[in-house]
């Protein structure tokens, strides 16, 4: 019985999916007019839907104090906490629900309650491992200054790996680091293995190996990283201007057309194109400086740079 | 069809129930035996140029041969030497081929990015950051192919010589039909 019901539910879900295209002119520029509760096409002016439901809160708040008082919900669900952030914690303030401070003779009791609640949050070994892995993930992500989305993705990948029993026989830190590496790539902000290795306590080799394993087992369809994704980050680390960045991306586009990137490490190609672009734009950086930022050797830059200059007919006067 | 060249054959066999490696190491000049470092005894031959690992259990691995005859002659030579030392050796040691590594050339350059997408990202392993080649594992015959940008390929994991050419032909047909080999 149950599977049939869920199937029906799914069908219903699909039928109420949002309209993304104007049925009249086919435009995708639709706006929700909240004051009129209408869905309007911006191009032809057709009112597609009316009497929209406003999902926002029914109250208004004008400062943070009011917001805190009126909100009846907590933080959104997150995969980066082992219980998805759904459990509650006994607050650290020694106050009861009326805001009155708790008498001193009950303080010790509250302290004990807090202690046991903290201990009880983690019920068994699997959960403890998950909590450890997720805190490790968060530590690495904070160390590298990665955004929320990447952390959530990494936590999701790690959870999937746990469900498929892929952790067994591998270190928690290793799997967490490679989940983070995969998440960075999935969110199109790739970090090099060296950068992840520096933030974690795992060697680059181990991360690479574990990453390949979980990518294969979980069927993560990840495109090979392209050198373009590294350009803006490396350029800003080298304090290069936007012109250099644009030039480097242009060089990479030409290089990709001539198949100069196939089988070459993306960071090496990116570094060489930045090096060339910096010279062409008169903001020269030495091979050494570029190499340090990109995490490749000067020899790699020289080799890639020769290939690029030769095949793309770029004259470089030093 | 692309020409296939076998580079290495790994085979295993068993000479006896057990071998006394200390005795063999002392009486054979070419034997290298350092039980502190590795429990096996390494025995290198210069013709055919192979290296064989002998273990206490009487089992042995022969590596470095370029064709099956070389494996057999190697085993024969070693069995002969052991017999001369007075070690009891099976009459006809059974040889099992464990791995064949072969190289070939597709005759044109590959754009590995395109190849990875065309063959399906879930079927291949291509991490230019870690290794310049693209790893393509096929099920029938069960081998792994390493594809490089230059069009050269390495085929590993085959158990029979025929499997290598079957696999290489299959791959070359597939890539040709997808138009991925740039002459």
């Amino acid at each position: 019985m149950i599977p049939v019901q869920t199937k029906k539910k799914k069908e219903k879900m699909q039928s109420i999916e949002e309209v993304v295209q104007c049925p009249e002119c086919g435009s995708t520029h639709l706006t929700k007019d909240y004051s009129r509760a209408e869905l309007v096409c911006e191009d032809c002016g057709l009112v597609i839907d009316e009497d929209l439901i406003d999902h926002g809160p029914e109250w208004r708040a004008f400062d943070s104090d009011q917001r805190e008082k009126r909100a009846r919900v907590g933080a959104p669900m997150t995969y980066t906490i082992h219980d998805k952030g759904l459990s509650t914690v006994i607050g650290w303030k020694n106050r009861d629900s009326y805001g009155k401070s708790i008498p001193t003779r009950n303080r010790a009791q509250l302290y004990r309650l807090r202690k046991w609640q903290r201990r009880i949050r983690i019920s068994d070994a699997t959960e403890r491992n998950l909590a450890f892995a997720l805190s490790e993930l968060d530590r690495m992500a904070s160390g590298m200054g990665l955004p929320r989305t990447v952390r959530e993705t990494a936590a999701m990948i790690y959870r999937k790996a746990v469900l498929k029993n892929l952790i067994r026989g591998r270190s928690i830190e290793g799997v967490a680091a490679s989940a983070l590496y995969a998440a960075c790539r999935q969110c199109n902000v790739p970090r090099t293995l060296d950068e992840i290795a520096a933030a974690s306590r795992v060697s680059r080799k181990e991360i690479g190996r574990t990453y390949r394993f979980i990518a294969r087992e979980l069927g993560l369809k990840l495109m090979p990283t392209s050198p373009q994704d590294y350009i803006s980050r490396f350029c800003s680390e080298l304090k290069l201007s936007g012109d250099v960045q644009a030039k480097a991306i242009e060089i990479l586009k030409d290089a990709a057309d001539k198949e100069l990137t196939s089988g070459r490490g993306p960071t090496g190609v990116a570094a060489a194109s930045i090096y060339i672009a910096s010279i062409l734009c008169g903001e020269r950086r030495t091979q050494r400086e570029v190499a340090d930022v990109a995490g490749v050797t000067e020899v790699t830059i020289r080799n890639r740079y020769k290939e690029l200059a030769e095949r793309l007919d770029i004259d470089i006067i030093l | 069809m692309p020409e296939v060249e076998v580079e290495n054959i790994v085979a295993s066999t068993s000479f006896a129930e057990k071998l006394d490696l200390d005795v063999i190491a002392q009486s054979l000049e070419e034997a290298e035996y350092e039980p502190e470092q590795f429990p096996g005894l390494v025995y290198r031959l210069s013709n055919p140029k192979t290296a064989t690992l002998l273990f206490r259990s009487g089992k042995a691995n022969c590596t470095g041969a370029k064709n099956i005859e070389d494996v057999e002659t190697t085993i024969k030579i070693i069995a002969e030497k052991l017999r001369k030392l007075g070690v009891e050796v099976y009459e006809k040691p059974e040889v099992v081929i464990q791995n064949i590594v072969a190289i070939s050339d597709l005759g044109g350059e590959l754009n590995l990015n395109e190849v990875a997408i065309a063959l399906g990202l879930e079927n291949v392993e291509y991490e230019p950051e870690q290794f310049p080649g693209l790893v393509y594992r096929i099920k029938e015959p069960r081998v792994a192919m390493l594809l490089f940008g230059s069009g050269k390929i390495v085929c590993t994991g085959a158990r029979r010589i025929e499997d290598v050419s079957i696999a290489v032909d299959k791959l070359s047909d597939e890539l040709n039909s997808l138009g991925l080999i740039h002459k």
Side-chain angles (χ1 to χ4, degrees):
Chain A
M1 260 329 261
I2 294 160
V4 180
Q5 272 180 340
T6 48
K7 208 178 169 189
K8 258 187 192 164
K9 223 178 191 176
K10 254 186 196 162
E11 274 168 21
K12 212 176 177 186
M13 288 277 276
Q14 266 166 2
S15 67
I16 53 165
E17 219 175 305
E18 260 196 352
V19 196
V20 285
Q21 221 179 21
C22 173
E24 205 58 44
C25 66
S27 152
T28 50
H29 292 277
L30 308 181
T31 339
K32 276 181 186 159
D33 183 345
Y34 284 104
S35 58
R36 289 168 182 274
E38 284 171 353
L39 183 65
V40 187
C41 171
E42 279 203 12
D43 288 346
C44 64
L46 180 80
V47 177
I48 298 161
D49 202 0
E50 53 184 356
D51 293 343
L52 285 178
I53 295 168
D54 187 350
H55 296 281
E58 85 287 5
W59 44 266
R60 293 196 295 167
F62 301 97
D63 55 38
S64 61
D65 220 30
Q66 283 183 347
R67 198 166 295 124
E68 223 166 78
K69 247 185 198 160
R70 290 181 190 174
R72 297 177 223 96
V73 290
M77 208 168 87
T78 167
Y79 287 104
T80 53
I81 302 172
H82 76 280
D83 53 15
K84 300 184 186 174
L86 293 178
S87 66
T88 46
V89 188
I90 301 174
W92 56 273
K93 287 180 201 157
N94 283 320
R95 287 178 190 282
D96 64 9
S97 56
Y98 301 106
K100 272 187 276 181
S101 75
I102 284 160
T104 341
R105 62 192 156 88
N106 288 344
R107 291 248 170 109
Q109 187 188 14
L110 203 67
Y111 177 76
R112 281 198 304 278
L113 268 175
R114 242 183 240 129
K115 182 157 80 187
W116 278 102
Q117 203 229 4
R118 215 168 37 231
R119 286 179 185 175
I120 256 165
R121 263 173 67 141
I122 289 162
S123 58
D124 57 358
T126 18
E127 211 161 297
R128 189 159 38 244
N129 285 345
L130 187 63
F132 173 69
L134 293 173
S135 69
E136 188 70 4
L137 243 155
D138 206 53
R139 187 186 64 79
M140 289 188 284
S142 306
M144 287 190 287
L146 290 170
R148 265 251 77 79
T149 48
V150 176
R151 293 177 199 206
E152 289 284 333
T153 317
M156 202 60 231
I157 292 172
Y158 187 87
R159 278 164 188 269
K160 276 187 194 156
V162 172
L163 281 181
K164 276 203 154 190
N165 268 332
L166 302 181
I167 321 290
R168 195 157 287 176
R170 262 157 276 275
S171 69
I172 291 175
E173 287 102 328
V175 180
S178 55
L180 193 63
Y181 175 72
C184 286
R185 282 181 56 173
Q186 216 160 42
C187 299
N188 283 324
V189 284
R191 302 290 128 139
T192 60
L193 283 174
D194 286 312
E195 285 170 291
I196 307 257
S200 68
R201 270 165 267 164
V202 195
S203 73
R204 172 205 152 99
K205 207 171 172 184
E206 165 110 33
I207 300 172
R209 189 172 20 202
T210 318
Y211 161 72
R212 284 202 303 273
F213 176 75
I214 60 171
R216 192 166 68 229
E217 290 296 317
L218 296 179
L220 301 176
K221 285 189 197 166
L222 290 173
M223 291 284 292
T225 45
S226 83
Q228 272 98 329
D229 295 332
Y230 294 104
I231 292 290
S232 63
R233 205 150 52 84
F234 290 166
C235 274
S236 66
E237 256 174 80
L238 286 164
K239 300 198 173 59
L240 288 163
S241 67
D243 295 344
V244 181
Q245 223 181 87
K247 186 78 196 161
I249 286 173
E250 198 182 299
I251 292 171
L252 283 179
K253 216 176 246 167
D254 291 345
D257 287 342
K258 295 216 163 139
E259 284 167 26
L260 284 172
T261 53
S262 153
R264 312 261 188 319
T267 42
V269 181
S273 70
I274 290 174
Y275 176 65
I276 296 174
S278 75
I279 293 172
L280 290 180
C281 297
E283 295 179 40
R284 182 156 190 255
R285 295 289 180 278
T286 60
Q287 290 180 354
R288 185 59 212 240
E289 289 166 328
V290 183
D292 282 346
V293 165
V296 295
T297 62
E298 290 155 75
V299 184
T300 313
I301 296 198
R302 274 198 284 283
N303 290 338
R304 293 293 97 79
Y305 144 75
K306 267 184 210 148
E307 278 171 12
L308 289 174
E310 229 166 76
R311 294 284 297 274
L312 301 176
D313 290 327
I314 302 172
D315 284 327
I316 293 161
I317 304 141
L318 290 176
Chain B
M1 282 292 114
E3 203 175 301
V4 176
E5 222 173 286
V6 175
E7 285 296 315
N8 184 18
I9 294 177
V10 178
S12 68
T13 185
S14 178
F15 282 114
E17 276 300 316
K18 63 176 188 235
L19 290 172
D20 191 343
L21 296 182
D22 285 317
V23 173
I24 299 170
Q26 270 157 21
S27 27
L28 289 179
E29 274 291 299
E30 309 91 325
E32 297 161 32
Y33 182 48
E34 275 178 48
E36 295 270 313
Q37 276 198 2
F38 184 68
L41 178 145
V42 186
Y43 192 81
R44 289 180 211 276
L45 289 178
S46 51
N47 187 35
K49 198 173 179 314
T50 56
T52 308
L53 304 174
L54 295 160
F55 294 94
R56 212 169 49 190
S57 60
K59 297 216 166 82
N61 291 333
C62 168
T63 61
K66 301 239 171 180
N67 51 50
I68 292 175
E69 292 87 76
D70 281 355
V71 176
E72 271 154 12
T73 41
T74 307
I75 303 291
K76 222 176 271 170
I77 291 170
I78 292 175
E80 205 55 43
K81 293 235 172 168
L82 291 178
R83 254 181 226 121
K84 266 190 196 153
L85 290 174
V87 183
E88 261 186 59
V89 178
Y90 294 148
E91 201 52 43
K92 254 194 167 325
E94 196 191 343
V95 180
V96 185
I97 292 177
Q98 302 290 356
N99 184 17
I100 296 175
V101 179
I103 57 167
S104 182
D105 198 330
L106 292 171
E109 298 209 333
L110 297 171
N111 183 339
L112 295 179
N113 271 323
E114 283 174 13
V115 174
I117 294 161
L119 292 176
L121 287 172
E122 64 278 11
N123 303 318
V124 303
E125 210 173 87
Y126 177 46
E127 301 294 327
E129 205 186 314
Q130 295 171 48
F131 183 64
L134 180 150
V135 185
Y136 182 39
R137 291 171 209 279
I138 54 177
K139 300 219 170 53
E140 211 33 69
R142 206 183 144 81
V143 296
M145 317 277 268
L146 309 178
L147 286 69
F148 293 90
S150 60
K152 293 229 168 69
I153 49 176
V154 176
C155 170
T156 67
R159 291 288 178 102
R160 295 180 303 156
I161 300 255
E162 305 91 82
D163 283 351
V164 177
S165 36
I166 295 171
V168 171
D169 285 348
K170 227 174 153 179
L171 177 76
S172 131
D173 285 345
E174 198 172 354
L175 293 178
N176 263 320
S177 65
L178 292 166
L180 289 168
I181 302 177
H182 306 281
K183 289 275 152 62

